[in-house]
Amino acid sequence: MNVTSVDFSMDALPVRQSSAVSIGRIKPELYKQKSVDSENGAKEPVETCGKLSFALSYDYEEQALVVRILKALDLPAKDFTGTSDPYVKIYLLPERKKKFQTRVHRKTLNPMFDETFRFPVEYSELCNRKLHFSVYDFDRFTSHDMIGEVVVDNLFELSDLSREAVVWKDILAATTESVDLGEIMYSLCYLPTAGRMTLTVIKCRNLKAMDITGYSDPYVKVSLICDGRRLKKRKTTTKKNTLNPVYNEAIIFDIPPENVEQVSLSIMVMDYDRVGHNEVIGVCRAGPDAEGLGRDHWNEMLAYPRKPITHWHALCEWPGRASSFESQGSCPSPKPPQTP
């Protein structure tokens, strides 16, 4: 699809781009947790935020660690109503690309999850792995609040995993983990002779859940920016009830070679809402004024014309509002060079 219309919004966009944050830095001092049943407390007081119960076992036939999240007790209230909307995210460290999360439970401090997840891993590798549980309070309109975390750094201290073992752990307060908004993979390809740039939205992974079901209805909106103003925009189709959508959709912009240093791209992953406003899940930028990988990806595209260059990009928080994208306006196209 060749984008030629220029009657789009002229809203000023903030060019400041948050740098990619580390997802869930694990402090070694937080590994030392005591069981709920343990009577000998730690010498140094550690703030706790309730308790988490889960069960562990190992499936020898499928070579998978089976984790069943049972329930949580005595969670802190995060909402003004005196309750929370809790859910749990789980990783098998050190790998963070594969994660699971439970459904969201509305208005409760004692959620009953009873959900089972399987991590493919060889039994001999379990001694080198750590289980990381992050407990969150779901918020539809702002960032999800992190309630606390549980880290199990020695699985065989709990059980030999030959049969299911139920475990209780204190949830330790944690403030260092930023909300994981997910990642987007896209490719950039520029044809100088045609003055045409193709951005192919390939897929996203581990997106932030925006719906109470624990999923989102994501689509991707791409805007061509010049001097902080939106020239053109296009969007992909919407994928229903998923945090890992696959698109493989191409978006084309006409950009003459003399204007390629004047423009940049704003890539926004949105959650479609049939009733209210569509909400921003996360954003990233690509262009000469972007930071980090966004600038490097753009420069690599220019260095290798006619070749699609593909990268994963971490999504960052968007300081504006999704509804601002719907306002009307226009902006002139980049000026062509003067003829001698």
Side-chain angles (χ1 to χ4, degrees), residues 116-331:
T116 301
F117 307 99
R118 308 173 74 88
F119 290 94
V121 58
E122 294 184 4
Y123 186 82
S124 59
E125 285 294 314
L126 288 176
C127 58
N128 300 320
R129 299 299 191 95
K130 300 180 179 68
L131 268 178
H132 181 212
F133 302 87
S134 299
V135 185
Y136 283 91
D137 170 52
F138 175 88
D139 195 312
R140 179 68 177 82
F141 300 104
T142 62
S143 299
H144 300 184
D145 294 324
M146 187 174 183
I147 295 174
E149 61 187 1
V150 172
V151 179
V152 181
D153 61 345
N154 192 336
L155 297 172
F156 292 116
E157 279 187 357
L158 305 177
S159 167
D160 63 0
L161 306 180
S162 60
R163 55 185 176 181
E164 189 176 73
V166 177
V167 181
W168 281 93
K169 286 288 185 179
D170 289 335
I171 301 172
L172 301 186
T175 58
T176 58
E177 176 169 318
S178 299
V179 176
D180 183 2
L181 301 178
E183 298 175 281
I184 181 172
M185 175 191 282
Y186 62 83
S187 69
L188 295 175
C189 181
Y190 187 62
L191 302 177
T193 53
R196 179 177 300 167
M197 190 208 67
T198 302
L199 183 150
T200 302
V201 180
I202 301 173
K203 58 184 175 180
C204 301
R205 65 186 179 192
N206 301 332
L207 294 179
K208 171 184 173 182
M210 300 294 285
D211 300 331
I212 201 65
T213 60
Y215 295 99
S216 296
D217 299 324
Y219 67 93
V220 180
K221 181 181 291 186
V222 182
S223 300
L224 182 66
I225 309 300
C226 176
D227 294 330
R229 295 177 296 177
R230 181 176 298 101
L231 299 181
K232 306 171 185 177
K233 67 178 180 181
R234 282 293 183 267
K235 62 182 180 180
T236 68
T237 56
T238 300
K239 305 298 180 180
K240 295 290 186 178
N241 297 319
T242 179
L243 301 180
N244 300 281
V246 177
Y247 298 99
N248 292 320
E249 298 181 35
I251 295 175
I252 299 174
F253 294 110
D254 287 331
I255 306 175
E258 59 270 15
N259 299 131
V260 78
E261 293 297 331
Q262 304 173 17
V263 298
S264 62
L265 297 174
S266 172
I267 299 101
M268 309 184 71
V269 181
M270 310 285 295
D271 173 53
Y272 172 79
D273 195 319
R274 186 172 57 182
V275 179
H277 290 295
N278 298 343
E279 296 290 331
V280 180
I281 298 176
V283 302
C284 61
R285 287 182 72 93
D289 62 344
E291 296 181 0
L293 182 57
R295 181 180 60 249
D296 296 341
H297 195 171
W298 185 269
N299 291 336
E300 191 175 357
M301 170 195 73
L302 297 178
Y304 298 94
R306 296 174 295 278
K307 177 182 178 182
I309 307 296
T310 305
H311 286 293
W312 280 104
H313 291 259
L315 296 174
C316 299
E317 293 278 2
W318 171 248
R321 297 182 304 169
S323 57
S324 65
F325 270 72
E326 308 308 324
S327 58
Q328 300 298 315
S330 61
C331 177

Side-chain angles (χ1 to χ4, degrees), residues 100-118:
F100 297 105
Q101 72 180 47
T102 67
R103 293 186 297 272
V104 178
H105 290 251
R106 290 299 303 270
K107 300 184 184 304
T108 178
L109 302 180
N110 301 285
M112 300 288 293
F113 297 106
D114 195 18
E115 295 185 47
T116 301
F117 307 99
R118 308 173 74 88

